[in-house]
Amino acid sequence: MRNTFHDDLDAITNTLVVMAQLVHTATKDATTALLTADLDLAEKVIKQDDQIDALQHELDAKTIVLLATQQPVASDLRALVTSLRMSADLERMGDMAHHIAKLARLHYPATAVPPESSLTIEEMGRIAGLIIEKVAKIIKDRDLKDAQQLAVDDDEMDKLHRKLIQSLISKDWPHGAESAIDLTLLGRYYERSADHAVSIARRVYFLVTGSYQVKE
Amino acid sequence: MRNTFHDDLDAITNTLVVMAQLVHTATKDATTALLTADLDLAEKVIKQDDQIDALQHELDAKTIVLLATQQPVASDLRALVTSLRMSADLERMGDMAHHIAKLARLHYPATAVPPESSLTIEEMGRIAGLIIEKVAKIIKDRDLKDAQQLAVDDDEMDKLHRKLIQSLISKDWPHGAESAIDLTLLGRYYERSADHAVSIARRVYFLVTGSYQVKE
């Protein structure tokens, strides 16, 4: 009986990894769609967000069935509750990619990102991709060093975010308020996505050690 | 034994209501601090967010203990899992108030909101307050009509949000990009807070009926 239960737990972990991989692809594609005004790619990301949402619902339903039927305690219970939280984080990260893709679509055939900001946004997209790739690995391997390292990658994201906002409020910003609004939102989407990734890394750390590394 | 368990469930509901009330006060105070450049009030909101976070951790710990020791099934299990989700929504709503208060503090002694936008922000704050007040009642009474009504109030918030963004991108906007950025973020904080409230109302609807009223 316990073996079946641990197979079920493994299946849940695998589904979380699949969700993270879908979020990774969505975020990469959304960034490409944004920077190259690729309408088809934006539509693809928008459409596929339903898949991530469906996966979350399915996963949560399975988790709740396990809670009810297996009545787990201690670390098994912690794993299931943590899984509910991680799926919520991943779903929100999917939403961020979805928001980015919608901004790309809104501006088509123009690009939403003016040339002055495209390198920063490209870099934010690259770091977001890196962070989400790591998160998939952290969920899979439960490596504590990787989990702690993620906060450092997030510092990089915060720096880029500040740089972006600084450029918008500088006297030389030539693109007016509308563009500043879009970039403010874009900056926040990437930053929030990375925050959710850090939150997942913390949950894995908690799962393994039973304590949070830092105040959440 | 079951009676003790249901007392515990009631206690969890009561704590959720207290969290909602704290979020209500925080959101109201943050809006006042923002519109009147009241530094003391902003500091109070920023400080009290720790209290909301602590309440969430405490509540989640209690919920997990109940999951482990009482091994609930069916509607009791659903109530505990839903409580974990609602506490996360309320905690995020607290964060939104915290963000608003930090923007107020950042601009002190000036106000972050220029005169052109203050009526819209005031109205967004009023609707947010109304929505959060209703959410506390929905958590407490589990009234399905109230839960459904909340989506209508949220439409009002979305309208105000669009109005705010429209004013920022109009040719007449005289306050430059920096102010547009702040107002974009403020608009998003109020809108997100209301979204979390709608999400709570949906969870209550699900708790009572076993099905979601609309796609989440």
Side-chain angles (χ1 to χ4, degrees), chain A residues 60 68 77 85 92 181 192, chain B residues 60 68 77 85 92 192:
Chain A
D60 287 359
L77 174 62
R85 298 216 185 287
R92 282 302 295 160
I181 291 168
R192 284 300 303 156
Chain B
D60 287 359
L77 175 62
R85 297 214 185 288
R92 283 301 295 158
R192 285 298 304 155

Side-chain angles (χ1 to χ4, degrees), chain A residues 57 60 64 67-68 71 73 77 81 84-85 92 99 168-169 177-178 180-181 184-185 188-189 192 216, chain B residues 57 60 64 67-68 71 73 77 81 84-85 92 99 168-169 177-178 180-181 184-185 188-189 192 216:
Chain A
H57 275 132
D60 287 359
I64 292 169
L67 280 170
Q71 308 180 326
V73 291
L77 174 62
V81 171
L84 286 172
R85 298 216 185 287
R92 282 302 295 160
H99 288 336
L168 302 179
I169 62 180
E178 183 159 9
I181 291 168
T184 303
L185 290 176
R188 191 158 167 84
Y189 298 150
R192 284 300 303 156
E216 194 173 15
Chain B
H57 275 132
D60 287 359
I64 292 168
L67 281 170
Q71 308 181 329
V73 293
L77 175 62
V81 172
L84 285 172
R85 297 214 185 288
R92 283 301 295 158
H99 287 336
L168 301 179
I169 62 181
E178 184 161 8
I181 292 168
T184 302
L185 290 175
R188 191 156 167 83
Y189 298 150
R192 285 298 304 155
E216 195 172 15

Side-chain angles (χ1 to χ4, degrees), chain A residues 122-142:
Chain A
E122 196 181 336
E123 189 62 8
M124 289 181 91
R126 194 184 68 78
I127 301 277
L130 191 90
I131 284 177
I132 302 168
E133 214 169 0
K134 283 191 184 175
V135 149
K137 201 170 163 289
I138 289 167
I139 295 171
K140 192 163 163 272
D141 302 337
R142 298 195 180 178

Side-chain angles (χ1 to χ4, degrees), chain B residues 102-118:
Chain B
K102 276 174 87 175
L103 244 164
R105 183 172 71 178
L106 186 69
H107 284 268
Y108 179 83
T111 59
V113 179
E116 287 88 343
S117 313
S118 67

